[in-house]
């Protein structure tokens, strides 16, 4: 490194420039040579081979044409790798969007999907630049597992028609109606499609077990296509259903927007943005775990946003980071974002050169691929482990999220799951808060006063038995928030004779919310009406600020303070307590 480079100031780690510097720039700063380029070429080609059938299959399952999936993988994949905050992220259309995209097209048409994708991209850009990306990680694990398992079930059912070669009209989006339509179409079963599906499934799973480094998806597609062409099998192909794939990418154009149209698709846009944010950051976390690197979450979300805007402009599908393709990229020897950029370039070369060959691809083999993807998404072993080993609350959250995703709506499933998890968390936090009764200084560890109002020996606590009968001391442990504030009032209401002074030790309280402050104010006012004082000890600066903000320091509700309980008890004889 030159002296001038050493003298050049580098952005602070928390500066805007550093937080939103793409990992591609970071990677190139480290130095890039021919050896790393060769490794990235191999990784990019490997990922492109995996992404090729997936992009087409996901687009078809979403209710649109296969070229939409390919062009999304090219444009969005390039933007995500070039401008993202994860070094190894591979972006494109993913199976998680199938349910949302299918429903959006069914409700608002394809133009509505384009508008929803554009708005979702803008939402992701705003979330990233406002540095709100870290909050996405607060979506609970049972919720994530629940809706991904629900999506997996829905995807599998949507592929049954192509797996068995059933002749059906456009399947309805509602799950039960879809199952009924498939059941009614069973007499149209095509034995050639069943054979292709079964052989493709066996081949892919066999290669995954015995030759895991071989591109099982592409091998299955090629062999099934060759068999269909050579033996003239009577099965539905991309050519017979969609007329093939155009070689020339579409010209970017801005979709027509109207206030009514934006309002109509806004819920779907929010769902797309949430899914894109969750899946991209989950994929980035997986990549970090595999490589020991660290991603920039807000930079990644900004790139995801621009990728979805770019996809909307070329009439593509929603895009996000793909966990399986990202893992394949890492295992194939990628050294950085260049491999992701090259994966998009290789896909573009395929479209320009070999697009006519896609006409021979039977839909049965693509359905087999998506059936495997759906099984992987469902994570049956993880769901079973959570149902076996988790508490009842997490079981309810997981089950409710999964069932609502399958039978009602993905967005509602996520919302209900998050709300249930929040209620469960608040219940656990409230249970963790303790109000302990203490004796005089030197005998502070006293009995726990909670639901049973008993001391360590199981006997009811009687404050009058303390050595200092005019003083009662309580120690509050845990966050004093609305879920636990009532415990203090309940405990104090059981005191027989009111003391002259009530000492409340806040040394183990990390925070106080509005309800906690209001409860404390009520306690102070009640004690003062009875001619008694309230002494607060051990308050941290944040707790003190919260209490002052909510009016504890006002003259009519002033309290006495001391650093510790011991000092408070010692100063009572000298009346040296400070008033607030």
């Amino acid at each position: 490194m030159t002296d001038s480079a050493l003298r050049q100031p580098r952005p602070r780690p928390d500066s805007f420039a550093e937080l939103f510097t793409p990992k591609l720039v970071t990677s190139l700063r480290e130095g890039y040579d021919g050896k790393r380029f060769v490794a990235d070429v191999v990784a990019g080609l490997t990922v492109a081979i995996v992404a090729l059938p997936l992009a087409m299959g996901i687009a078809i399952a979403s209710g649109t044409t296969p070229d939409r999936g390919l062009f999304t993988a090219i444009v969005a994949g390039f933007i995500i790798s070039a401008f993202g905050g994860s070094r190894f992220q591979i972006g494109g259309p993913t199976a998680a969007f199938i349910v949302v995209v299918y429903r959006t097209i069914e409700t608002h048409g394809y133009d509505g999907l384009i508008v929803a994708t554009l708005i979702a991209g803008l939402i992701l850009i705003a979330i990233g630049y406002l540095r709100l990306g870290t909050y996405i990680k607060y979506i609970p694990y049972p919720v994530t597992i629940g809706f991904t398992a629900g999506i997996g079930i829905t995807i599998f059912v949507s592929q049954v028609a192509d797996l068995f070669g059933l002749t059906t009209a456009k399947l309805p989006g509602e799950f039960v109606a879809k199952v009924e339509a498939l059941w009614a179409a069973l007499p149209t079963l095509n034995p050639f499609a069943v054979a292709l599906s079964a052989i493709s499934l066996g081949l892919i799973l066999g290669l995954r077990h015995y030759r895991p480094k071989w591109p099982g998806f592409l091998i299955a597609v090629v062999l099934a296509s060759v068999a269909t062409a050579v033996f003239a099998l009577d099965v539905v192909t991309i050519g017979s259903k969609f007329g093939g794939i155009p070689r020339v990418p579409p010209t970017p154009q801005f979709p027509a927007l109207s206030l009514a149209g934006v309002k109509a698709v806004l819920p779907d846009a929010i769902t797309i943005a949430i899914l894109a944010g969750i899946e991209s950051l989950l994929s980035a976390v997986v990549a970090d775990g595999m490589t020991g690197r660290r991603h920039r979450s807000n930079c990644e979300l900004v790139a995801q946003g621009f990728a979805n805007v770019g996809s909307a402009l070329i009439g593509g599908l929603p895009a996000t980071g793909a966990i399986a393709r990202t893992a394949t990229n890492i295992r194939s020897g990628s050294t950085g974002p260049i491999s992701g950029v090259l994966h998009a370039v290789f896909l573009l070369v395929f479209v320009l050169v070999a697009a006519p060959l896609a006409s021979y691809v039977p839909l049965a083999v693509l359905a087999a691929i998506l059936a495997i993807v759906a099984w992987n998404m469902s994570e049956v072993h993880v769901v079973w482990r959570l149902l076996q080993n988790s508490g009842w609350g997490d079981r309810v959250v997981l089950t409710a999220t999964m069932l609502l995703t399958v039978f009602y709506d993905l967005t509602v499933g996520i919302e209900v799951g998050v709300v249930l998890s929040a209620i469960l968390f608040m219940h656990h936090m409230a249970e963790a808060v303790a109000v302990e009764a203490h004796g005089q200084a030197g005998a502070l560890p006293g009995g726990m006063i909670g639901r049973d109002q008993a001391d360590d020996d199981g006997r009811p606590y009687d404050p009058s038995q303390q050595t200092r009968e005019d003083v009662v001391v309580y120690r509050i442990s845990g966050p004093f928030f609305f879920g636990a504030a009532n415990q203090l009032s309940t405990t104090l209401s059981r005191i027989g004779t009111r003391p002259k002074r009530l000492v409340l030790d806040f040394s183990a309280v990390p925070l106080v919310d509005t309800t906690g402050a209001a409860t404390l104010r009520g306690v102070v006012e009640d004690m003062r009406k009875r001619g008694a004082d309230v002494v607060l000890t051990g308050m941290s600066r944040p707790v003190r600020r919260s209490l002052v903000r909510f009016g504890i320091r006002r003259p009519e509700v002033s309290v006495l303070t001391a650093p510790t309980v011991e000092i408070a008890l010692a100063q009572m004889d000298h009346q040296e307590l400070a008033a607030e």
Side-chain angles (χ1 to χ4, degrees):
M1 185 178 292
T2 63
D3 292 340
S4 60
L6 289 172
R7 290 193 299 269
Q8 185 177 359
R10 295 291 296 275
R12 293 183 296 106
D14 58 345
S15 68
F16 182 89
E18 189 67 15
L19 287 174
F20 293 98
T21 299
K23 284 293 184 175
L24 177 61
V25 175
T26 304
S27 178
L28 294 178
R29 281 177 182 168
E30 298 171 353
Y32 198 77
D33 53 23
K35 184 178 180 180
R36 293 184 65 179
F37 179 74
V38 171
D40 285 334
V41 168
V42 173
L45 180 59
T46 303
V47 176
I49 290 171
V50 173
L52 179 62
L54 278 175
M56 294 190 293
I58 288 168
I60 294 171
S62 300
T64 183
T65 56
D67 57 296
R68 306 281 188 178
L70 285 173
F71 292 133
T72 301
I74 293 169
V75 173
F78 179 89
I79 294 173
I80 289 171
S81 293
F83 302 102
S86 176
R87 189 178 292 255
F88 302 99
Q89 186 83 282
I90 300 295
T94 66
F97 285 120
I98 290 176
V99 177
V100 180
V101 171
Y102 192 96
R103 184 192 64 194
T104 304
I105 295 175
E106 186 180 47
T107 307
H108 306 290
Y110 198 81
D111 290 340
L113 173 67
I114 298 300
V115 175
T117 303
L118 177 66
I119 296 173
L122 297 176
I123 292 173
L124 286 168
I125 292 171
I127 291 174
Y129 279 133
L130 291 174
R131 305 185 189 185
L132 302 177
T134 52
Y135 293 101
I136 292 180
K137 69 184 179 184
Y138 294 131
I139 294 181
Y141 186 61
V143 176
T144 303
I145 294 299
F147 79 73
T148 53
I151 290 172
I153 294 171
T154 306
I155 292 172
F156 179 81
V157 172
S158 70
Q159 296 308 299
V160 169
D162 289 334
L163 281 171
F164 292 95
L166 304 180
T167 302
T168 64
K170 184 178 175 63
L171 291 174
E174 201 269 325
F175 184 82
V176 175
K178 184 180 297 183
V179 172
E180 291 175 347
L182 292 170
W183 180 260
L186 275 181
T188 65
L189 181 144
N190 185 328
F192 295 111
V194 174
L196 281 178
S197 300
I199 293 172
S200 298
L201 284 170
L203 178 62
I204 293 170
L205 296 176
L207 289 175
R208 180 172 292 182
H209 182 73
Y210 295 104
R211 292 291 186 271
K213 293 186 177 181
W214 288 18
F217 287 170
L218 186 63
I219 291 173
V221 168
V222 170
L223 292 181
S225 302
V226 170
T228 300
V230 171
F231 298 105
L233 299 179
D234 183 20
V235 294
V236 180
T237 64
I238 288 178
S240 64
K241 186 169 183 176
F242 303 105
I245 294 176
R247 288 186 174 183
V248 181
T251 303
Q253 60 181 33
F254 202 83
L257 298 177
S258 66
L259 182 59
V262 170
K263 281 184 176 180
V265 302
L266 186 58
D268 299 292
I270 294 173
T271 301
I272 292 171
I274 292 173
L275 272 180
I278 293 173
E279 189 164 4
S280 64
L281 295 187
L282 281 177
S283 180
V285 168
V286 170
D288 290 349
M290 295 177 67
T291 63
R293 299 281 187 171
R294 292 188 62 187
H295 71 281
R296 301 186 182 108
S297 58
N298 291 306
C299 179
E300 180 64 24
L301 291 178
V302 170
Q304 297 289 338
F306 281 114
N308 278 278
V309 170
S311 180
L313 296 181
I314 55 99
L317 304 174
T320 185
I323 297 175
R325 277 164 269 175
T326 298
T328 300
N329 184 42
I330 295 170
R331 295 191 189 103
S332 300
S334 170
T335 69
I338 294 294
S339 63
V341 172
L342 291 174
H343 127 272
V345 173
F346 286 130
L347 287 175
L348 177 61
V349 170
F350 168 80
V351 172
L352 296 176
V353 175
L357 299 177
S359 298
Y360 299 101
V361 177
L363 298 191
V365 68
L366 295 180
I369 290 172
L370 285 180
I372 293 174
V373 172
W375 173 263
N376 293 336
M377 283 189 67
S378 298
E379 295 190 285
V380 176
H381 64 289
V382 177
V383 172
W384 180 246
R385 185 172 66 245
L386 285 176
L387 291 177
Q388 280 187 313
N389 302 323
S390 299
W392 67 267
D394 287 337
R395 294 177 189 174
V396 170
V397 170
L398 188 153
T399 305
T401 304
M402 182 172 65
L403 293 179
L404 285 170
T405 299
V406 172
F407 291 102
Y408 189 68
D409 183 82
L410 170 63
T411 307
V412 174
I414 295 176
E415 291 172 349
V416 170
V418 170
V419 170
L420 288 177
S421 296
I423 294 173
L424 187 65
F425 172 77
M426 289 184 289
H427 173 71
H428 289 327
M429 291 299 294
E431 290 289 305
V433 175
V435 181
E436 300 172 327
H438 301 297
Q440 62 189 50
L444 292 178
M448 177 74 71
I449 301 300
R451 288 170 295 181
D452 57 359
Q453 297 294 310
D455 64 11
D456 289 339
D457 298 325
R459 298 186 301 272
Y461 172 76
D462 183 1
S464 64
Q465 294 179 0
Q466 296 184 118
T467 304
R468 193 177 185 122
E469 296 185 358
D470 61 338
V471 177
V472 174
V473 182
Y474 284 97
R475 182 174 187 266
I476 304 172
S477 302
F480 195 53
F481 73 114
F482 63 89
N486 186 57
Q487 189 175 144
L488 176 63
S489 300
T490 301
T491 301
L492 295 181
S493 68
R494 301 193 181 188
I495 298 177
T497 303
R498 292 289 174 174
K500 292 183 179 180
R501 275 182 177 160
L502 170 66
V503 180
L504 297 177
D505 181 11
F506 276 76
S507 59
V509 176
L511 63 90
V512 176
D513 74 347
T514 306
T515 306
T519 300
L520 182 61
R521 176 169 174 157
V523 169
V524 173
E525 290 175 341
D526 180 64
M527 294 295 292
R528 289 183 67 83
K529 287 178 182 177
R530 298 170 182 270
D533 291 323
V534 175
V535 184
L536 304 183
T537 69
M539 292 185 293
S540 64
R541 184 172 297 177
V543 169
R544 183 185 296 271
R545 280 201 302 263
S546 296
L547 295 180
V548 168
R549 189 182 305 120
F550 294 118
I552 299 300
R553 67 177 297 174
R554 293 178 182 175
E556 65 271 19
V557 285
S558 62
V559 296
L560 304 175
T561 63
T564 66
V565 173
E566 293 87 347
I567 293 176
L569 294 174
Q571 291 179 344
M572 283 180 185
D573 294 333
H574 306 287
Q575 298 296 317
E576 295 176 359
L577 293 170
E580 281 195 352

